[in-house]
Amino acid sequence: MKYGQFCPIAKATEILGEKWTIIILREILMGGCRFNTLQRGLGGISPALLTSRLKSLEAQGMVVRRKVSGQKGYEYYPTEACQALLPVLISMGEWGLIWARHNVLDEDFDVDFLIFYLERSVDPSKLIGNESVIRFKFTDLTEQSDYWLLVKNENIDLCLKDPGKDVDVYFTCTIRTMHDVWMGDRTYRDAIKSGDLYVHGEPSLTRNISSWLRPSIFGESKRAPIPATDRLA
């Protein structure tokens, strides 16, 4: 992508303007460094295209690739130039909350993406003991409706089948409701009071969910409401 202009916006777009590039940088800046972790956060990208974009970003000085010691594969880390983009991406997200919410469609409420970010948002240091189990049940799903997060020390693993362990906190709601409370569109208290969200478990954890399940970085940002037409119930 070459625009043939000295304008700094044009020069920045030559690096950032291709499809997936901004979203890949979002994942790297949110802490994703392994190839498989990046793919989980990106969803629909092919491995070949992700490899190509990472090579391009490395060539442009946006990421550094490091061999994983004693293992196959690489890890990818943001350079200073990449880290300087974080406030830009946050500003883009805040712009999107106000001016692009009308583009949110039913299919955008993707449970795998939501669970990935909920997993990333857990703060193990704020949980009780060395091992905790958190279960999410999504009432609007008919096949894979239950997800378990197993937190052991600093490690968080996703289980798609009952791990056979005592659950510390249960969440029961629709995908949309969990999205809304995590993103900051509504409070946990409001969702529970309205009957849209059922939370059960250890009282010390259910009383202050946001202390250990960190909200989205856009939780306090100004926003336009998501259009009510054709949304998930």
Side-chain angles (χ1 to χ4, degrees):
M1 290 177 59
K2 298 294 181 182
Y3 292 103
Q5 297 180 356
F6 59 78
C7 168
I9 297 174
K11 303 313 292 183
T13 304
E14 289 177 0
I15 297 174
L16 305 174
E18 289 190 293
K19 185 178 180 180
W20 290 109
T21 297
I22 287 288
I23 309 302
I24 292 169
L25 292 174
R26 177 198 70 190
E27 290 305 302
I28 291 172
L29 287 168
M30 290 297 104
C33 61
R34 295 289 185 93
F35 191 90
N36 289 343
T37 304
L38 294 173
Q39 273 203 301
R40 278 192 68 195
L42 296 167
I45 194 171
S46 70
L49 183 55
L50 177 54
T51 298
S52 175
R53 290 289 187 270
L54 288 170
K55 285 182 178 179
S56 177
L57 288 169
E58 186 180 9
Q60 294 283 358
M62 299 298 292
V63 300
V64 174
R65 183 178 63 159
R66 288 286 182 265
K67 187 79 171 62
V68 180
S69 179
Q71 301 179 39
K72 293 182 178 180
Y74 296 88
E75 291 179 330
Y76 299 86
Y77 296 97
T79 62
E80 183 181 359
C82 184
Q83 291 170 343
L85 272 176
L86 182 58
V88 178
L89 296 190
I90 291 174
S91 293
M92 286 180 65
E94 291 176 336
W95 181 91
L97 284 172
I98 296 173
W99 301 105
R101 299 271 271 182
H102 62 283
N103 289 328
V104 176
L105 306 174
D106 284 358
E107 54 264 34
D108 294 328
F109 291 95
D110 177 77
V111 67
D112 293 326
F113 182 68
L114 175 61
I115 283 292
F116 177 65
Y117 263 79
L118 292 174
E119 177 184 337
R120 180 177 276 176
S121 298
V122 172
D123 183 352
S125 69
K126 299 295 176 31
L127 295 171
I128 299 171
N130 296 325
E131 187 173 57
S132 301
V133 180
I134 305 154
R135 195 202 76 174
F136 297 89
K137 183 176 184 64
F138 296 105
T139 56
D140 48 340
L141 297 180
T142 56
E143 295 182 4
Q144 181 70 52
S145 61
D146 294 273
Y147 296 79
W148 292 261
L149 296 182
L150 274 61
V151 186
K152 189 168 184 179
N153 297 319
E154 295 298 314
N155 297 317
I156 304 171
D157 294 315
L158 170 65
C159 286
L160 302 181
K161 294 182 179 180
D162 190 342
K165 296 177 179 288
D166 292 337
V167 175
D168 295 278
V169 182
Y170 297 82
F171 292 88
T172 303
C173 59
T174 62
I175 300 169
R176 171 64 195 281
T177 296
M178 198 66 222
H179 160 275
D180 286 356
V181 294
W182 180 74
M183 279 292 295
D185 290 315
R186 61 192 300 194
T187 64
Y188 283 103
R189 180 177 295 181
D190 169 69
I192 292 169
K193 185 177 180 180
S194 68
D196 293 333
L197 172 64
Y198 175 72
V199 180
H200 176 69
E202 172 60 46
S204 62
L205 298 177
T206 60
R207 278 196 296 263
N208 191 11
I209 298 168
S210 295
S211 67
W212 57 268
L213 185 61
R214 295 180 294 252
S216 162
I217 59 173
F218 301 111
E220 301 296 325
S221 300
K222 294 181 180 179
R223 66 199 63 214
I226 299 176
T229 305
D230 297 329
R231 296 186 305 191
L232 290 173

